[in-house]
């Protein structure tokens, strides 16, 4: 089956086009040698597989994501390429296009966002582009699917796409060097277009150089490059060889854009610029972001999410429990089976499922911020603050994703160019309040802060960000003190997200929570219930004499100074390492709560308001869940950093909870 590679700059609509062209997609492991996931989909017309390469600005890599694209092109051989470009940012996007055309494979150029370009007063003549570049150029609006049918029609027979004959003249000196390098490479088997390899080598592409070093002695090749550069500079050109190659390409791009683009009606201030003048304002930007976040939390937890969760709670504690009791009674189930299903499974898992509406609404709101283009602006706003703390604004995107789940957030850090920033983001990510912690916050906020639930929950999210920034400064100063940071981010135009895209994005984020409810939380609930059902004296024992009570009692003394030194509280923390959602399911089992209201009543008798804040802070900061620990090990490739992340978070959680409770007591808040 043929393979077609989808390539383009970040934020050009590549993902939207991929979703439109494929009937299904799956993540096929990782790219060889790196932890960047390989995204593959089956084309709707059955013509083959579509390989979605990471968004890149150039084939000269700055990050692992960009290195993957070059590595794929040089080590594998797709039958054709789809290069998607932003019609409103054509000049910048075409630099990658020229590099891909020099690769020599049949190529289709997807001229996307023609609606955005038109709104800005930019008209692009795709026929001129097609004539000058010698390839098929198709206008697109990927997010609505317009033009996707034409792309599928062209791809129906990949072998029928014309071969690329594009060739730039880089001048006599550079062309002589290219010919000399091609002659040296002819004896090496398995290389793609030799001219392309030669040009990438002359541009000092590290991926190409590393590959060639494995197959041959490159000293002769480097001598050719050095000789060419010396000759260029002796001709009174203050340019290195890579700079000369780039300048030739940019001259061609300028002439091409002059011929293909009509900017006579270019609007001086488009909608994006007008919105940016307010939303990215030096003084108004951050306060407006805080207002948006507060509105998001109010919508999630009070205005919409709260009533929906109450409805789900009523269904679980009413019809679901009553129906299970009736069926179990009808079939004559034993007392053990009855208690396991009703108290263990329905009580444990149901206590977490109650919060599904609020979690999905939160994911929907985050997806809206991402797809609208606003999230990239937040990174820009946060850059100066994060730069002072040792990171750059680009790390803020994984932090926001971490509000959903720490695992994909850590994976998102792969797109950060600098190793130092990538490592810092990975180590600090567990401090972000993921959706698994949310049920704990909601439970305690409803009991002790009923009038200010959104504020209480938002305070936990802010607390995590604050400690992440503080520790970022400490780690950057002492662990990565000799490494610098560079901030590069694409600012897409503002646009109203499509309902289909929002739905798909929300489902992709939220289905992991439902999967855990049916696996880890279910298994954890059964284990916890069995530990509460049995004890040293036998089965069906009093809860205070169960194995669970004995287990929780071992660590209860350590928790006493924190304000929650009971065996019940201690019993929730260790299984919480499997998944933080298990904390609430464990409480449901321990307190035999018939519904959320019953559990809240029990919580109000065991915890104090000050102790509840201490407990929430501890849940926020202590050891990340098992899945997060696993992905930290995978990303850092070192047990040293994995144990470090577990150790510092546990110590931080204890110290912060101790400070909150003991400090509150000194102030008379207990």
């Amino acid at each position: 089956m043929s393979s077609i590679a989808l390539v383009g700059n970040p934020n050009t609509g590549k993902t939207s086009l991929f979703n439109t062209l494929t009937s299904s997609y799956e993540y096929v492991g990782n790219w060889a040698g790196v932890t960047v996931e390989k995204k593959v989909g089956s084309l709707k017309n059955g013509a083959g597989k579509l390989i979605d390469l990471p968004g890149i600005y150039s084939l000269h890599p700055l990050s692992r994501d960009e290195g993957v694209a070059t590595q794929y092109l040089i080590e594998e051989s797709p039958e054709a390429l789809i290069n998607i470009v932003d019609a409103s940012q054509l000049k910048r996007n075409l630099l990658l296009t020229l590099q891909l055309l020099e690769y020599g494979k049949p190529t289709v150029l997807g001229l996307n966002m023609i609606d955005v370009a038109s709104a800005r007063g930019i008209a692009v003549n795709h026929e001129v582009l097609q004539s000058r570049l010698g390839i098929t150029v198709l206008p697109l609006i990927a997010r609505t699917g317009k033009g996707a049918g034409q792309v599928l029609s062209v791809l129906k027979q990949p072998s029928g796409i014309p071969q690329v004959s594009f060739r730039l003249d880089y001048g006599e000196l550079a062309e002589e060097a290219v010919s000399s390098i091609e002659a040296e490479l002819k004896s090496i088997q398995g290389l793609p277009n030799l001219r392309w390899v030669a040009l990438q080598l002359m541009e000092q592409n590290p991926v190409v150089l590393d590959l060639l070093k494995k197959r041959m002695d490159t000293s002769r090749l480097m001598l050719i490059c050095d000789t060419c550069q010396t000759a260029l500079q002796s001709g009174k050109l203050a340019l290195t060889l890579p700079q000369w190659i780039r300048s030739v390409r940019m001259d061609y791009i300028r002439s091409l854009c002059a011929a293909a683009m009509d900017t006579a009606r270019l609007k001086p201030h488009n909608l994006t610029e007008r919105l940016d003048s307010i939303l990215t304002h030096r003084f108004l930007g951050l306060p407006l972001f805080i207002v948006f976040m507060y509105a998001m939390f109010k919508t999630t937890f009070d205005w919409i999410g709260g009533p929906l969760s109450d409805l789900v709670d009523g269904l679980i504690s009413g019809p679901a429990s009553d129906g299970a009791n009736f069926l179990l009674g009808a079939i004559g189930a034993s007392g053990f089976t009855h208690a396991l299903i009703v108290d263990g499974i329905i009580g444990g898992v149901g206590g977490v499922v109650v919060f599904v509406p609020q979690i999905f609404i939160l994911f929907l709101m985050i997806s809206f911020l991402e797809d609208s283009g606003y999230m990239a602006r937040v990174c820009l706003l946060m850059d100066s603050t994060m730069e002072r703390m040792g990171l750059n604004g680009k790390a803020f995107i994984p932090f926001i994703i971490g509000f959903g789940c720490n695992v994909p957030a850590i994976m998102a850090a792969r797109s950060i160019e600098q190793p130092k920033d990538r490592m810092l983001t990975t180590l600090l990510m567990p401090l972000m309040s993921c959706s698994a912690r949310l049920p704990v916050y909601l439970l305690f906020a409803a009991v002790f802060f009923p009038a200010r639930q959104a504020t209480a929950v938002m305070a936990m999210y802010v607390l995590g960000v604050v400690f992440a920034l503080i520790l970022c400064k400490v780690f950057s100063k002492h662990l990565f003190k000799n490494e610098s940071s560079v901030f590069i981010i694409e600012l897409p135009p503002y646009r109203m997200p499509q309902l289909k895209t929002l739905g798909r994005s929300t489902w992709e984020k939220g289905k992991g929570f439902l999967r855990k409810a049916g696996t880890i939380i279910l298994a954890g609930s059964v284990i916890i219930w069995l530990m509460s059902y049995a004890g040293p004296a036998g089965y069906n024992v009093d809860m205070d004499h169960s194995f669970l009570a004995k287990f929780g009692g071992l660590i209860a003394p350590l928790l006493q100074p924190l304000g929650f030194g009971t065996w019940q509280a201690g019993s929730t923390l260790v299984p919480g390492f499997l998944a933080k959602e298990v904390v609430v399911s464990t409480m449901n089992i321990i307190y035999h709560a018939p519904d959320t209201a019953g559990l809240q009543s029990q919580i109000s008798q065991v915890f104090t308001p000050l102790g509840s804040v201490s407990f929430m802070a501890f849940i926020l900061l202590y050891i990340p869940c098992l899945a997060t620990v696993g992905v930290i090990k995978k990303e850092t490739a070192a047990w040293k950093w994995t144990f470090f992340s577990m150790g510092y978070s546990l110590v931080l959680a204890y110290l912060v909870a101790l400070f909150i409770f003991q400090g509150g007591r000194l102030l008379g808040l207990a």
Side-chain angles (χ1 to χ4, degrees):
M1 183 176 286
S2 60
S3 61
I4 300 166
L6 179 61
V7 200
N9 286 189
N11 292 311
T12 54
K14 193 163 60 68
T15 299
S16 297
L17 183 62
F18 179 86
N19 291 338
T20 303
L21 296 180
T22 56
S23 55
S24 63
Y25 71 94
E26 61 275 355
Y27 291 95
V28 186
N30 292 332
W31 294 95
V34 292
T35 54
V36 180
E37 284 182 319
K38 187 175 186 178
K39 192 176 181 183
V40 179
S42 300
L43 286 168
K44 287 181 178 178
N45 59 10
K49 295 286 187 179
L50 187 62
I51 315 296
D52 186 18
L53 296 178
I56 55 174
Y57 294 101
S58 165
L59 293 180
H60 193 289
L62 293 175
S63 68
R64 282 185 291 181
D65 279 25
E66 294 189 345
V68 159
T70 306
Q71 184 177 335
Y72 173 79
L73 292 177
I74 198 169
E75 292 184 351
E76 302 189 39
S77 185
E79 286 198 29
L81 303 176
I82 304 174
N83 174 213
I84 185 167
V85 299
D86 179 355
S88 65
Q89 303 286 347
L90 192 59
K91 182 179 178 181
R92 183 176 60 203
N93 285 201
L94 284 175
L95 180 62
L96 175 62
T97 301
L98 297 190
Q99 292 177 310
L100 295 174
L101 292 179
E102 289 172 336
Y103 181 64
K105 288 288 184 178
T107 301
V108 176
L109 185 70
L111 187 64
N112 193 30
M113 299 190 189
I114 54 174
D115 55 334
V116 175
S118 178
R120 292 182 178 180
I122 301 171
V124 181
N125 190 328
H126 73 279
E127 293 179 349
V128 172
L129 287 176
Q130 186 165 284
S131 173
R132 292 280 296 268
L133 296 175
I135 59 174
T136 302
V137 179
L138 300 175
L140 298 171
I141 304 178
R143 68 192 189 97
T144 64
K146 183 177 181 179
Q150 289 179 281
V151 178
L152 285 171
S153 178
V154 170
L155 296 178
K156 195 165 187 178
Q157 293 294 334
S159 57
I161 302 174
Q163 287 289 331
V164 173
S165 57
F166 180 83
R167 182 187 178 101
L168 271 182
D169 186 348
Y170 290 96
E172 184 179 351
L173 293 174
E175 289 296 337
E176 287 179 1
V178 169
S179 298
S180 299
I181 292 173
E182 285 187 81
E184 296 288 332
L185 295 175
K186 283 182 179 178
S187 60
I188 307 300
Q189 299 295 319
L191 291 178
N193 187 302
L194 295 185
R195 178 177 174 82
W196 177 81
V197 175
L199 286 168
Q200 291 297 313
L201 181 66
M202 291 165 66
E203 289 186 86
Q204 300 175 7
N205 188 317
V207 177
V208 173
L209 181 59
D210 288 345
L211 180 75
L212 292 176
K213 283 181 177 179
K214 295 175 182 177
R215 300 188 181 185
M216 65 183 296
D217 180 3
T218 59
S219 57
R220 171 64 181 163
L221 301 179
M222 302 314 297
L223 179 61
I224 295 172
C225 293
D226 292 341
T227 302
C228 181
Q229 179 159 302
T230 301
L232 281 172
Q233 293 179 331
S234 66
K236 298 182 180 180
L237 284 174
L239 297 176
T240 64
L241 184 54
Q243 289 171 339
W244 168 254
I245 293 173
R246 182 183 176 90
S247 70
V248 172
R249 288 176 180 153
M250 292 308 300
D251 286 342
Y252 180 82
I253 289 171
R254 279 188 283 270
S255 69
L256 180 60
C257 289
M261 292 176 63
D262 180 4
T263 57
R265 298 180 181 179
L266 182 65
K267 298 177 182 178
H269 300 290
N270 56 48
L271 177 61
T272 292
E273 290 172 342
R274 291 196 295 270
L275 288 174
D276 276 344
S277 66
I278 300 172
L279 297 178
T280 62
H281 190 274
R282 181 179 178 184
F283 301 111
L284 296 177
L286 278 177
L288 284 173
F289 172 62
I290 293 172
V291 170
F292 289 153
M293 292 299 289
Y294 183 73
M296 182 176 77
F297 280 90
K298 288 291 287 184
T299 302
T300 301
F301 308 124
D302 289 348
W303 298 335
I304 299 177
L308 288 177
S309 287
D310 291 341
L311 179 63
V312 174
D313 183 35
L315 291 173
I316 292 174
S317 61
S321 294
D322 294 343
N325 283 322
F326 175 78
L327 289 174
L328 291 169
I331 63 175
S334 66
F336 173 84
T337 303
H338 191 284
L340 172 62
I341 293 175
V342 176
D343 298 333
I345 296 176
I346 296 178
V349 177
V352 177
V353 172
V354 163
F355 302 105
V356 165
Q358 290 165 308
I359 288 169
F360 268 80
I361 290 173
L362 178 63
F363 287 154
L364 176 65
M365 303 287 281
I366 291 175
S367 296
F368 183 89
L369 293 178
E370 290 174 347
D371 294 346
S372 67
Y374 180 59
M375 194 66 77
R377 271 75 182 180
V378 176
C379 296
L380 186 65
L381 288 170
M382 291 297 298
D383 181 56
S384 59
T385 300
M386 299 189 74
E387 187 68 38
R388 285 193 290 268
M389 307 310 288
L391 270 177
N392 65 52
K394 199 167 186 178
F396 199 68
I397 288 181
F399 283 165
I400 294 293
I401 296 174
F403 289 167
C405 180
N406 291 165
V407 172
I410 291 173
M411 293 178 179
R414 298 166 177 169
S415 63
I416 300 175
E417 290 82 4
Q418 286 70 38
K420 166 219 170 185
D421 292 346
R422 217 162 36 235
M423 180 65 79
L424 274 175
T425 305
T426 298
L427 293 177
L428 297 171
M429 192 56 63
L431 301 182
M432 296 300 104
S433 285
C434 63
S435 60
R437 299 171 171 97
L438 188 54
V440 181
Y441 303 156
L442 291 171
L443 176 63
F444 281 84
V447 174
F448 297 103
F449 313 102
R452 297 182 177 86
Q453 290 187 51
T455 303
V457 174
M458 185 175 178
M460 290 295 107
Y461 281 76
V462 172
L463 187 66
V465 173
V466 168
F467 276 111
L469 293 177
I470 293 173
L471 288 178
C472 178
K473 183 69 173 179
V474 174
F475 293 167
S476 181
K477 185 176 181 180
H478 296 287
L479 299 179
F480 307 95
K481 55 186 176 182
N482 295 322
E483 299 188 41
S484 60
S485 176
V486 178
F487 178 55
I488 303 172
I489 192 168
E490 181 83 16
L491 293 181
Y494 291 105
R495 50 186 170 235
M496 184 61 66
Q498 300 287 305
L499 289 177
K500 181 179 179 181
T501 303
L502 277 180
R504 186 168 189 170
S505 178
T506 302
W507 172 248
E508 288 300 318
K509 290 182 174 75
K511 70 180 181 181
F513 184 88
L514 294 178
R515 189 183 298 117
K516 282 198 287 184
T519 54
I520 296 175
I521 299 173
L522 174 61
S525 297
V526 170
I527 293 171
I528 294 298
W529 181 84
L530 289 173
M531 291 179 66
S532 70
Y533 186 79
Y539 297 101
N540 200 17
V541 299
D542 181 74
M543 182 78 74
D544 290 332
H545 299 96
S546 65
F547 287 123
L548 187 61
K550 298 291 184 184
F551 175 74
L554 294 176
I555 59 175
L558 297 174
L559 304 176
Q560 191 68 43
L562 311 184
F564 46 91
T566 63
W567 72 260
Q568 291 92 336
S571 298
T572 66
L573 296 177
V574 176
F577 171 64
L578 296 175
K580 294 297 186 288
E581 300 96 332
V582 180
V583 172
V584 172
S585 63
T586 302
M587 287 184 171
N588 257 339
I589 293 169
I590 289 175
Y591 294 114
H592 291 296
D595 53 24
T596 302
L599 179 59
Q600 291 174 353
S601 176
Q602 295 275 5
I603 293 294
S604 65
Q605 298 175 33
V606 178
F607 287 84
T608 64
L610 184 60
S612 72
V613 175
S614 174
F615 186 77
M616 285 192 290
F618 192 88
I619 292 294
L620 161 67
L621 300 171
Y622 90 116
I623 298 177
C625 71
L626 183 61
T628 303
V629 169
V631 80
I632 290 174
K633 169 61 175 67
K634 181 180 178 183
E635 295 298 307
T636 62
W639 282 111
K640 174 184 73 172
W641 292 117
T642 306
F643 288 128
F644 174 77
S645 68
M646 297 170 67
Y648 91 75
S649 57
L650 181 60
V651 172
L652 178 65
Y654 195 91
L655 292 177
V656 171
L658 182 68
F659 175 80
I660 290 173
F661 186 71
Q662 297 300 333
R665 290 182 63 188
L666 291 175
L667 295 174
L669 300 177

